[in-house]
């Protein structure tokens, strides 16, 4: 068991950066490709999670607890953001009967 | 493991099943936190993300039953352009990463770094003010969400 833990924790830092970058770009692609507002929100969540994972990896790498505290704050912020965003989506749906993002293009300018 | 991840998230692009795939993705994130010995974060991730946020998503999806209307498809050109843009972004990060030296492995110096006791000490000593501010943020978000969600029904009732 100790050996397994040692092996797992010998992952290079680069792999964590790479994983987070991949997941972040998947989130970006999701935001750009989809038009469903809920799926766009989920992609934003994905990006936030990638950043969280990277912060934790750096925190463990440096032996500094401040990074993990920061991740905790990001999680609180994400919860608040999702609550507000979903409330807005529900309101938009009530007004326009669709959650297509393109309905909102009259918000331009 | 990383490849498994990425494939899982890409399949999350498909239909309304994507929320379920997102739950799986967050679960693998929790496993990553445990592997990093950040137990407090693992627990918080498990409860907040997989418990609260995903239930919130599912509930909204249920409230807005969008099953009958198929999602309007974007034109293929936009889709391809978006994918290329994302891949370019990824390639930029990977290129800059390759320019760096190969890094040291992530070794846990302090075995009780991510435990609740240690994190609590840091949280309530150095980060007391941000903690209180975030609590105010959560409170205002709660009030705002309730206000937004009930604004329409009040004149009707």
């Amino acid at each position: 068991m100790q050996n397994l833990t040692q092996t797992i924790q010998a992952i290079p830092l680069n792999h964590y950066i790479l994983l987070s970058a991949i997941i972040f770009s998947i989130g970006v692609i999701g935001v750009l490709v989809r038009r469903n507002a809920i799926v766009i929100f989920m992609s934003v969540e994905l990006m936030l999670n990638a950043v969280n994972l990277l912060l934790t990896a750096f925190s463990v790498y440096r032996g500094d607890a401040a990074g993990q505290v920061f991740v905790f704050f990001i999680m609180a912020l994400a919860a608040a953001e999702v609550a507000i965003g979903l409330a807005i989506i529900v309101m938009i749906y009530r007004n326009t009967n669709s959650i297509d993002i393109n309905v909102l293009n009259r918000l331009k300018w | 493991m990383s490849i498994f991840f990425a494939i899982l998230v890409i399949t999350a692009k498909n239909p309304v099943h994507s929320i379920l795939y997102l739950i799986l993705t967050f679960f693998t994130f929790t496993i990553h936190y445990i592997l990093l010995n950040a137990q407090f974060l693992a627990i918080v991730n498990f409860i907040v993300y997989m418990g609260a946020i995903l239930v919130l998503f599912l509930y909204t999806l249920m409230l807005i039953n969008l099953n009958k209307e198929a999602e309007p498809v974007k034109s293929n050109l936009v889709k391809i352009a978006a994918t290329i843009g994302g891949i370019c972004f990824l390639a930029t990060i990977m290129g800059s990463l390759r320019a760096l030296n190969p890094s040291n492995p992530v070794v846990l110096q302090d075995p009780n770094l991510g435990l609740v006791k240690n994190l609590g000490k840091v949280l309530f000593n150095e980060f007391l003010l941000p903690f209180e501010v975030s609590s105010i943020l959560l409170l205002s978000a709660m009030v705002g969400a309730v206000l937004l969600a009930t604004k329409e029904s009040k004149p009707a009732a």
Side-chain angles (χ1 to χ4, degrees), chain A residues 10-81:
Chain A
I11 304 173
L13 186 61
N14 272 355
H15 290 189
Y16 277 110
I17 301 178
L18 208 58
L19 172 67
S20 295
I22 289 172
I23 294 187
F24 192 88
S25 353
I26 287 172
V28 169
I29 294 174
V31 168
L32 290 178
V33 165
R34 300 302 293 261
R35 297 231 320 247
N36 190 337
I38 291 181
V39 181
I40 287 181
F41 259 93
M42 280 163 38
S43 301
V44 171
E45 289 299 310
L46 217 55
M47 288 195 274
L48 277 173
N49 254 314
V51 172
N52 277 353
L53 182 64
L54 193 57
L55 266 177
T56 314
F58 273 124
S59 148
V60 172
Y61 180 64
R62 301 282 304 175
D64 189 0
Q68 303 198 3
V69 174
F70 206 78
V71 170
F72 177 68
F73 287 137
I74 292 181
M75 279 181 185
L77 190 130
E81 169 247 338

Side-chain angles (χ1 to χ4, degrees), chain A residues 9 11 13-14 24-25 32-36 42 45-46 49 52 56 60 69 75 78 93-94 99-100, chain B residues 9 13-14 19 26 33 44 49 61 64 66 71-72 74 82 89-90 94 103-106 108 114 123 149:
Chain A
Q9 275 160 2
I11 304 173
L13 186 61
N14 272 355
F24 192 88
S25 353
L32 290 178
V33 165
R34 300 302 293 261
R35 297 231 320 247
N36 190 337
M42 280 163 38
E45 289 299 310
L46 217 55
N49 254 314
N52 277 353
T56 314
V60 172
V69 174
M75 279 181 185
Y93 180 74
R94 272 197 209 134
I99 54 171
D100 189 356
Chain B
V9 184
K13 291 279 168 54
N14 294 335
I19 291 183
F26 284 161
Y33 286 138
V44 168
Y49 270 103
L61 211 62
I64 309 168
L66 77 170
E71 183 187 343
K74 260 185 186 175
F89 176 71
L90 182 61
M94 278 170 72
S103 65
N104 308 324
V106 177
L108 200 64
L123 186 62

Side-chain angles (χ1 to χ4, degrees), chain B residues 4-82:
Chain B
F4 168 70
F5 248 110
I7 289 174
L8 196 66
V9 184
I10 285 177
T11 49
K13 291 279 168 54
N14 294 335
V16 187
H17 299 284
S18 54
I19 291 183
L20 298 179
Y21 285 126
L22 199 67
I23 291 178
L24 281 181
T25 311
F26 284 161
F27 187 68
T28 44
F29 266 97
T30 307
I31 293 175
H32 263 275
Y33 286 138
I34 292 176
L35 288 187
L36 279 171
N37 209 8
Q39 295 170 10
F40 172 67
L41 279 185
I43 294 170
V44 168
N45 192 49
F46 195 84
I47 293 175
V48 171
Y49 270 103
M50 295 173 59
I53 291 185
L54 270 300
V55 165
L56 211 60
F57 270 122
L58 277 181
Y59 196 74
T60 314
L61 211 62
M62 193 191 72
L63 212 61
I64 309 168
N65 48 353
L66 77 170
N67 283 335
K68 34 186 182 285
E69 43 171 342
E71 183 187 343
V73 197
K74 260 185 186 175
S75 65
N76 260 341
L77 187 65
V78 178
K79 219 175 248 184
I80 290 172

